[in-house]
Amino acid sequence: MARIAVIDPTSATGEAKKLLDAVQASLGAVPNFIRALANSPAALNAFLGIHGIAGAGFLDPKTRERIALAVAEQNACQYCVSAHTAIGRKAGLDSQEMLANRKGRSSDAKAEAALAFARALVEHAGQVSKAEFDAVRAAGHSDGEIVEIITHVAMNIFTNLLGKATQIEIDFPEIELNKAA
C-alpha cells in the first residue's frame, strides 16, 4: 500500500488538476507515479519539465528507455522496471533486449556503452573514472549525448527514489526484479 495519497485527477483542483489533465491528454492515462507527484504541483511541474527536455534531446527513445531500465534495476525499483518495460515495448524494444538492458547490456554496441556509463554514474555517485568517461566517448557518444545520459540517470534516480520511498502501487504489468547473484 502506498505511503502517500495518489491524487485522483477527477477530483484534483488548481495547478494539480491542470498538470494531471495535461498528462491525461498526452498519454491517455495518468500513472500512479504522476498522481503521487501531484501532491506537490511544484514537484510534478519540475519533473514534467525535465522529462520534456530529456525527451527532446539527441538520445533516441530506445536508448532513453534502456537507461531507465538499467538504472531502475540497479536501484531495485520494481515500479520503474515495470513502467519502463511497458514504455520500452512501445519504443520498439523486445523482451530479450530489455532483459539485457536491465543488466547493463545491449545488442547495440553504442547503447551498451551508454548503459555501462549510466551504471557507473549510479555506482560511483557521479565520480566516474577517466576510463569510463573515455569508453563512452570512444563508442561514439558526443558531449551532448554524454550530458543527456547523465540527465537521464539523474531523472531516473529521482523516480526510483520516489517509487521506492512511497511504495506506489504498480499500475503497469508487474515485472519482477532480477535476483541478486
Side-chain angles (χ1 to χ4, degrees), residues 5 20 26 30 48 67 76 79-80 86 95 101 106 129 138 156 161 170 178:
L20 292 170
S26 174
V30 183
L48 293 174
I67 292 167
Y79 185 94
C80 296
S95 295
N101 299 157
S106 176
S129 69
N156 282 285
L161 290 173
I170 299 171
N178 290 329

Side-chain angles (χ1 to χ4, degrees), residues 22-31 34 90:
V23 170
Q24 175 70 39
S26 174
L27 299 179
V30 183
I34 298 294
K90 286 183 181 178

